[in-house]
Amino acid sequence: MKVTIVGAGAVGASCAEYIAIKNFASEVVLVDIKEDYAEGKAMDLMQTSSLLGFDTRITGSTNDYSKTANSDIAVITSGIPRKPGMTREELIGINADIVKSVSASLIEHSPNVTLIVVSNPMDTMTYLVHKTTDLPKNKIIGMGGALDSARFKYRLSEALDAPQSDIDGMVIGGHSDTGMVPLTRLATRNSVPVSKFISKERIDEVSEATKVGGATLTKMLGTSAWYAPGAAVSSLVQAIACDQKKMFPCSALLEGEYGLSDLCIGVPVILGKNGIEKIVELELDDAEKSKLKESAEGVSKVNDLLDL
Ligand code: NAI
């Protein structure tokens, strides 16, 4: 199993580290445009191999895509992250050009690759890959909801004073501060609705904190987060690599599901060896449906900024 990660920055390197620690891939190739940067990150990570006990071979390359040939899975994290006060949408100009050229180079050397798009604005970047490549739709996956759901579960566990392993919850919709739809009605602690444990006001606070989860960390760190994003990407890679048939909210091309089409937005999908093996249609109530519709309108507006 060969995995390529383009962008050896904060998220890309963290993702490579978690993939290596989980020890399911034989090879991880890091690619970056900065001279020697990916090679340096790869060397640093390889020097943890005997300490952490993994056998994954990590190599780096400065923009030489021949090194990525025959990758099974590739992750695109190349691009600029946001700074405090910026929205993800403000990154579109620079990142669209990068994502378009990177996805073309990856597919040239690995025509059967499954792509995971991370660069922001992620739903629009995922849509861009659909529009500009010939990859089948099941092989183009945007990562956002897995991270947003992890942040939702963290916030719920804090509010309920419960371990995260007891909490289940999901965030669908666009990966933006205004687009996320945390499904509070369906969130549970050991199958019991969270509304049994905390007030509606507290649940609303959790929901709001989840939506600005990325912005909160960007303000604290001076740049966007990397541990949870890297861990979320590694979970998607593992689900595909190990054919786990696990369900995650991911940005997927919709063609009528949820009454939406011609955009990529976060919905629950089953991930296995074929990438997106199924889009799961939840029974949403009217309020949730209208939030998702509003979120989709926001994503479509950003898509309209693409030069397609
Ligand atoms: P970073 O700045 O630490 O790393 C980005 C790397 O991409 C840099 O090393 C840069 O040299 C490289 N790069 C730029 N252009 C390239 C090209 N054409 N080819 C190869 N490499 C290139 O940024 P960070 O924090 O790792 O974030 C990466 C992206 O992921 C950003 O767009 C950020 O907004 C996004 N992100 C998305 C998340 C999500 O949930 N979808 C979560 C966190 C970040």
Side-chain angles (χ1 to χ4, degrees):
M1 177 63 53
K2 179 170 176 177
V3 181
T4 287
I5 301 169
V6 184
V11 176
S14 149
C15 171
E17 182 182 5
Y18 290 123
I19 290 173
I21 290 171
K22 293 181 186 182
N23 213 11
F24 61 83
S26 50
E27 194 179 351
V28 171
V29 181
L30 276 168
V31 179
D32 204 282
I33 199 164
K34 269 191 264 173
E35 188 76 29
D36 276 347
Y37 194 61
E39 290 86 337
K41 288 276 180 115
M43 193 186 287
D44 192 11
L45 282 167
M46 278 307 278
Q47 290 170 2
T48 70
S49 163
S50 64
L51 299 163
L52 298 174
F54 62 79
D55 298 318
T56 304
R57 183 163 169 266
I58 308 166
T59 56
S61 147
T62 306
N63 248 19
D64 177 1
Y65 282 83
S66 67
K67 303 274 169 54
T68 71
N70 300 319
S71 292
D72 300 285
I73 302 170
V75 178
I76 303 179
T77 73
S78 46
I80 50 166
R82 57 183 172 156
K83 296 285 171 216
M86 279 175 90
T87 66
R88 295 174 177 93
E89 291 72 24
E90 287 175 66
L91 306 172
I92 188 168
I94 296 172
N95 286 357
D97 286 345
I98 295 175
V99 169
K100 197 170 158 188
S101 73
V102 164
S103 53
S105 303
L106 284 168
I107 294 166
E108 188 190 331
H109 292 87
S110 306
N112 297 318
V113 73
T114 298
L115 283 185
I116 300 178
V117 181
V118 182
S119 309
N120 274 317
M122 181 278 296
D123 297 292
T124 296
M125 294 301 110
T126 309
Y127 181 72
L128 175 69
V129 175
H130 276 289
K131 285 292 194 189
T132 56
T133 72
D134 290 330
L135 275 189
K137 63 176 194 153
N138 55 304
K139 285 177 170 268
I140 304 172
I141 303 158
M143 194 296 289
L147 169 65
D148 302 332
S149 300
R151 289 179 171 155
F152 184 37
K153 287 182 245 186
Y154 160 74
R155 292 284 173 189
L156 283 170
S157 82
E158 295 280 297
L160 270 74
D161 192 20
Q164 289 193 41
S165 53
D166 277 5
I167 303 287
D168 202 4
M170 202 193 311
V171 178
I172 61 170
H175 179 61
S176 70
D177 299 358
T178 50
M180 286 178 214
V181 184
L183 295 176
T184 51
R185 180 179 61 91
L186 302 176
T188 60
R189 174 187 189 167
N190 303 95
S191 308
V192 179
V194 294
S195 56
K196 290 277 175 209
F197 303 97
I198 51 175
S199 66
K200 181 176 178 318
E201 289 68 32
R202 192 74 183 95
I203 293 175
D204 289 345
E205 280 170 19
V206 164
S207 206
E208 285 313 305
T210 301
K211 291 202 243 172
V212 295
T216 303
L217 281 165
T218 301
K219 203 167 154 208
M220 294 165 87
L221 300 169
T223 185
S224 70
W226 55 89
Y227 292 120
V233 179
S234 76
S235 297
L236 303 196
V237 172
Q238 187 175 23
I240 299 163
C242 303
D243 195 23
Q244 286 177 325
K245 318 281 186 204
K246 271 194 162 192
M247 186 164 80
F248 295 92
C250 290
S251 193
L253 184 74
L254 298 189
E255 293 173 314
E257 298 90 349
Y258 291 92
L260 301 170
S261 50
D262 195 31
L263 85 166
C264 295
I265 194 164
V267 291
V269 303
I270 306 294
L271 290 185
K273 65 177 185 305
N274 300 310
I276 295 178
E277 303 207 336
K278 186 181 166 57
I279 292 176
V280 180
E281 286 206 61
L282 303 170
E283 297 258 330
L284 300 180
D285 67 18
D286 287 347
E288 291 156 353
K289 273 185 206 159
S290 88
K291 281 184 194 160
L292 184 60
K293 187 164 171 275
E294 204 178 305
S295 176
E297 284 163 4
V299 171
S300 292
K301 269 195 198 141
V302 183
N303 291 351
D304 288 342
L305 301 174
L306 288 172
D307 190 13
L308 289 172

